């Protein structure tokens, strides 16, 4: 693919993005039918951060951060920068200087398949990062790549303008055109879980009964027996 920087990407409705952030990764992932989840190799470098934003994507060569420099110009307030490389690389392509520039533009965080460094500074400045590694190895600025093209991050396709949600549970991607429907589904799931939580917390119901799982167990051939019956061979 010819190197390119796309400058005018569409973004999801800001209020919808913010509402999805409140729900978080696990709820949105489940609400969307268990789709969009980034693999577990991409982990947060901090605890307790929860963000959502529109993806500005970067496709770089391994060991080269030139296109990250180019991507900063394309970032707006409310965005999340998402980086992948053309082949695996854990070099420390991102550090506190990049974060300083992105934070000044209102970028909410970073998701990257590369390594990051200056992690103590990143934590202190409150710039959330999800990465494949922490690695001090430096990079060069010599190879062309692309900004705002579709990329793959740990098995999940990320298109420019998609909604990126990230928290302690990982990262999930919501296609931009499905953001509103994902929010509706997540709202419904939260309401249902609140009802379940109240029932379980009161001791009034077990999940086996509330979810109709006793019949599922029976259909699968799972039987109940006393200890004596089990010790006697289960007959």
């Amino acid at each position: 693919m010819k190197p390119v920087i796309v400058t005018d990407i569409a973004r999801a409705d800001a209020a919808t993005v913010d509402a999805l952030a409140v729900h978080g990764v696990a709820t949105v992932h489940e609400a969307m039918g268990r789709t969009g989840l980034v693999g577990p190799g991409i982990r947060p470098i901090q605890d307790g951060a929860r963000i959502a934003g529109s993806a500005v994507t970067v496709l770089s060569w391994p060991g080269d951060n030139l296109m990250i420099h180019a991507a900063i110009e394309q970032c707006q307030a409310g965005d999340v920068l998402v980086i992948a490389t053309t082949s695996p690389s854990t070099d420390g392509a991102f550090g506190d200087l990049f974060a300083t520039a992105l934070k000044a533009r209102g970028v909410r965080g970073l998701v990257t398949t590369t390594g990051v460094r200056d992690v103590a500074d990143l934590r202190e400045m409150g710039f959330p990062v999800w990465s494949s590694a922490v690695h001090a190895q430096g990079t060069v600025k010599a190879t062309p790549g692309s900004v705002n093209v579709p990329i793959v991050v740990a098995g999940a396709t990320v298109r420019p303008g998609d909604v990126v949600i990230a928290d302690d549970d990982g990262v999930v991607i919501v296609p931009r055109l499905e953001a509103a429907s994902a929010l509706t589904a997540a709202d419904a799931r939260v309401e249902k879980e609140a009802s379940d939580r109240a029932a379980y917390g009161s001791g009034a119901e077990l999940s086996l009964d509330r979810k109709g799982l006793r019949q599922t167990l029976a259909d699968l051939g799972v039987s109940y027996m006393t200890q004596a019956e089990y010790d006697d061979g289960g007959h």
Side-chain angles (χ1 to χ4, degrees), residues 21 23-26 43-44 46 48-51 130 165-171:
H23 288 319
V25 170
R43 299 301 305 154
Q46 67 286 310
R50 175 176 286 183
I51 66 169
W130 287 257
I165 307 166
D167 59 22
D168 286 346
D169 290 333
V171 181

Side-chain angles (χ1 to χ4, degrees), residues 5-210:
I5 298 173
V6 180
T7 61
D8 58 345
I9 66 170
R11 291 168 168 83
D13 172 70
T16 300
V17 173
D18 290 345
L20 286 167
V22 173
H23 288 319
V25 170
T27 295
V28 174
H29 168 59
E30 294 282 357
M32 291 196 303
R34 298 182 180 175
T35 62
L37 194 62
V38 169
I42 307 299
R43 299 301 305 154
I45 67 165
Q46 67 286 310
D47 294 324
R50 175 176 286 183
I51 66 169
S54 295
V56 170
T57 63
V58 180
L59 184 62
S60 290
W61 279 75
D64 193 307
N65 69 3
L66 174 64
M67 300 315 295
I68 303 176
H69 289 271
I72 292 173
E73 184 179 23
Q74 305 307 318
C75 291
Q76 300 179 7
D79 287 343
V80 173
L81 188 64
V82 186
I83 302 168
T85 51
T86 55
S87 61
S89 174
T90 58
D91 292 346
F94 186 96
D96 71 306
L97 291 179
F98 276 142
T100 299
L102 290 172
K103 193 170 183 180
R105 299 180 77 86
V107 174
R108 293 176 172 174
L110 170 77
V111 174
T112 180
T113 65
T114 72
V116 297
R117 59 187 188 177
D118 305 326
V119 293
D121 298 312
L122 294 172
R123 291 168 183 154
E124 184 176 358
M125 66 193 295
F127 188 82
V129 171
W130 287 257
S131 71
S132 67
V134 173
H135 195 184
Q137 176 64 50
T139 56
V140 300
K141 303 163 182 61
T143 317
S146 293
V147 176
N148 284 330
V149 299
I151 60 175
V152 177
V153 176
T157 298
V158 187
R159 295 176 177 82
D162 283 351
V163 181
V164 181
I165 307 166
D167 59 22
D168 286 346
D169 290 333
V171 181
V172 69
I173 307 301
V174 180
R176 178 178 62 85
L177 296 178
E178 298 175 21
S181 61
L183 177 58
T184 298
D187 286 342
R189 183 174 181 86
V190 167
E191 184 176 347
K192 178 183 180 301
E193 286 186 343
S195 179
D196 289 343
R197 192 172 293 107
Y200 302 154
S202 69
E205 281 187 272
L206 296 173
S207 57
L208 277 174
D209 299 308
R210 190 169 179 85

